[in-house]
Amino acid sequence: MAMPSTLTLAFTLLLFTTSHGARMLLQTETNTEFIKTSCNTTTYPTLCFSSLLSYASKIQTSPMQMASTALSVSLAGARLSSAAMTQMSAAHGINPHDKGAMRDCMDALGDAVDELKQSTESMSHLGGKAIGYQINSIQTWVSAALTDYNTCMDGFRASGVNVRKEVRSHVLNTLHLTSNALDLINGLSSTIIHSVP
């Protein structure tokens, strides 16, 4: 029995590699398009797309993974906002009003972190007969986190322009990420409700 030539083996390997590469490229394009289409339903689609694109291989074309990943990104943002406000509050020369507003803001951001953490944990156990109730609870917690961000920023209305700008720079992006996560969760909720017989 004749052994395959080196050229035949190389050609077979090339065909396999090319075919596999083409499938991977097509899958990546499909995942990217899914994220783009899903993000177009959110309030801040450009931020949604840029914050989730690097997770395309994890999200694939799953609305559940999309909402879950958006929640995780929001939670990470909330933690960063909270840390930035803690650092800002330690600065010297802050007037008493701003110090009080910062304390209130840090409390609100701490609540937001807790609510998003609860939401993320619930999302990882989503399923079963109580799925509607679970999603409703997640929507409630994420909405509460949005309220917390606004409460934080509202506390600085009487502050100087520079302080307000700095607070907004730490909180607004996270608020937008969380708003997008809620939009995706609402879309997931709609999908699940319509799929229940």
Side-chain angles (χ1 to χ4, degrees):
M1 183 169 175
M3 296 293 287
S5 71
T6 305
L7 185 58
T8 304
L9 287 174
F11 184 70
T12 303
L13 181 61
L14 178 65
L15 279 177
F16 174 77
T17 305
T18 304
S19 171
H20 179 71
R23 277 196 309 273
M24 292 300 290
L25 181 61
L26 182 60
Q27 184 63 47
T28 300
E29 287 175 6
T30 302
N31 296 348
T32 301
E33 190 56 37
F34 172 76
I35 292 171
K36 186 175 184 180
T37 302
S38 299
C39 282
N40 283 340
T41 67
T42 67
T43 308
Y44 307 99
T46 303
L47 176 63
C48 175
F49 185 72
S50 66
S51 66
L52 297 176
L53 182 59
S54 62
Y55 301 96
S57 63
K58 176 184 177 186
I59 294 169
Q60 296 184 5
T61 57
S62 166
M64 185 87 74
Q65 276 297 332
M66 180 89 170
S68 180
T69 304
L71 262 179
S72 295
V73 168
S74 299
L75 175 58
R79 286 179 170 146
L80 286 173
S81 294
S82 183
M85 289 305 299
T86 300
Q87 192 173 31
M88 188 177 164
S89 72
H92 296 290
I94 297 173
N95 69 47
H97 169 270
D98 290 346
K99 268 236 187 268
M102 282 187 194
R103 258 192 315 275
D104 293 343
C105 176
M106 288 187 298
D107 286 345
L109 291 177
D111 290 343
V113 167
D114 290 343
E115 289 149 358
L116 291 173
K117 190 175 174 192
Q118 240 177 330
S119 300
T120 304
E121 288 169 1
S122 291
M123 186 66 96
S124 67
H125 303 309
L126 206 58
K129 292 180 181 178
I131 194 166
Y133 172 77
Q134 292 169 326
I135 288 183
N136 188 270
S137 295
I138 292 168
Q139 289 168 315
T140 300
W141 292 322
V142 176
S143 295
L146 289 172
T147 300
D148 292 329
Y149 298 137
N150 284 310
T151 298
C152 165
M153 290 189 293
D154 287 348
F156 293 92
R157 281 189 179 167
S159 299
V161 173
N162 290 340
V163 172
R164 285 198 315 268
K165 276 186 180 177
E166 189 170 355
V167 169
R168 285 176 65 83
S169 75
H170 295 311
V171 177
L172 198 59
N173 190 60
T174 304
L175 185 149
H176 292 172
L177 287 170
T178 305
S179 174
N180 283 343
L182 183 58
D183 291 337
L184 293 168
I185 292 162
N186 290 341
L188 176 65
S189 173
S190 177
T191 302
I192 288 171
I193 288 168
H194 287 102
S195 67
V196 173

